[in-house]
């Protein structure tokens, strides 16, 4: 049996641009890889794909467990496919503590959408990343755009981590809420209200219809009193039932109106430029941390420094200075 040929950046590039689903999945895996053997190829691929990126609409979707994120995303994805759009779903799953892999299996939770030719679902383990966003979600979005996907939906874990990260990589940030807003309003974060562009109270059907309308009104009142939004920048607040596909089109209309308004005021491109800048420094900080932990000089003194800080013999600032000196970065 002949050995499997090692794929080159040309192979990945042609596969992505040619909308080859199998090669697209392999390109995603390449970009997500932390292997030193894969990183140069992934960087070359992304550099070559950059001229073909930026055309997709990037939508972040968050919400507490039980809010119906997967059901909503499938309903929205099916609606968009019916409109002739190509949809990529980056569904970030909680990571398995044993294997580090995804544990929820979004393709099984979105079976109808997964069967559509113009939809692609990519479950990715969050691996403990803050915000419930996988480490390479930004890169995966670029690859999806270069493959011709019109809408990129990013589903977060939604288990209480900082949601700033998803807002900093998308064009519109949607929060799914549940009917019966009383308890949730008590715990709603001012920071979340400042980040979201659209709030949708899901499961507004049957006996939940009236509680959902009440919850929407309470969110309106809460925004008026604590959000500090200008009237034209306040999040749109709607109700919907993803299970019965009611009101999902209204939520999509609210998303597109927000994005169009942002483009007309030039905020859209400014937001993306600022996201790229934050992305740059996020990568720098991540690689600096990796370098610090793997540097031989740092490893040689790390245990001693940690032990002395642990028992109170050395201030943490002095310990940090010693570690950076070992890394040859402290020039003072």
């Amino acid at each position: 049996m002949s050995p499997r040929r090692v794929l080159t950046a040309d192979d990945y590039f042609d596969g992505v641009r040619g909308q080859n689903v199998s090669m697209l999945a392999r390109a995603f895996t390449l970009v997500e890889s932390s292997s030193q053997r894969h990183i140069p190829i992934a960087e070359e691929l992304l550099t070559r794909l950059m001229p073909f990126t930026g055309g997709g609409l990037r939508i972040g979707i968050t919400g507490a467990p039980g809010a119906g994120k997967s059901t909503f995303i499938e309903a929205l994805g099916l609606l968009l496919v019916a409109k002739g759009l190509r949809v990529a779903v980056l569904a970030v799953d909680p990571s398995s503590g044993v294997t580090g892999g995804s544990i929820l299996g979004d393709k099984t939770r979105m079976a109808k959408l997964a069967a559509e030719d113009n939809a692609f679902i990519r479950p990715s383990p969050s691996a403990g990343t803050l915000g419930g966003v996988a480490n390479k979600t930004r890169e995966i979005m670029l690859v999806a755009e270069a493959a011709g996907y019109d809408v990129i939906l990013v589903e977060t874990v939604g288990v209480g981590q900082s949601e700033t990260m998803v807002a900093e990589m998308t064009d519109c940030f949607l929060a799914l809420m549940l009917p019966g807003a009383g308890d949730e309003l008590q715990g709603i974060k001012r920071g979340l209200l400042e980040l979201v562009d659209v709030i949708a109270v899901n499961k507004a059907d049957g006996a939940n219809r009236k509680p959902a309308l009440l919850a929407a009104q309470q969110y309106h009142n809460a925004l008026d009193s604590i959000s500090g939004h200008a009237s034209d920048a306040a999040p749109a607040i709607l109700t919907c039932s993803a299970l019965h596909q009611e009101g999902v089109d209204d939520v999509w209309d609210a998303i597109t109106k927000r994005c169009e308004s942002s483009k007309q005021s030039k905020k859209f491109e400014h937001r993306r430029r600022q996201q790229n800048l934050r992305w740059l420094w996020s990568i720098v900080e991540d690689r600096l941390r990796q370098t610090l932990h793997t540097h031989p000089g740092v490893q040689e003194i790390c245990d001693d420094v940690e032990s002395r800080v642990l028992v109170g013999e050395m201030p943490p600032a002095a310990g940090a200075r010693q570690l950076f000196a070992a890394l040859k970065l402290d020039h003072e």
Side-chain angles (χ1 to χ4, degrees), residues 70 91-94 101-111 114 121-125 155:
S70 294
V92 183
D93 273 348
S102 303
I103 62 177
L104 296 184
D106 287 271
K107 285 193 176 183
T108 60
R109 293 187 291 140
M110 304 181 195
I121 300 175
R122 176 70 178 188
S124 299
E155 177 191 7

Side-chain angles (χ1 to χ4, degrees), residues 292-303 323 326:
L292 184 65
H293 285 294
T294 58
H295 191 278
V298 173
Q299 289 183 325
E300 185 177 337
I301 67 169
C302 186
D303 288 345
L323 294 174

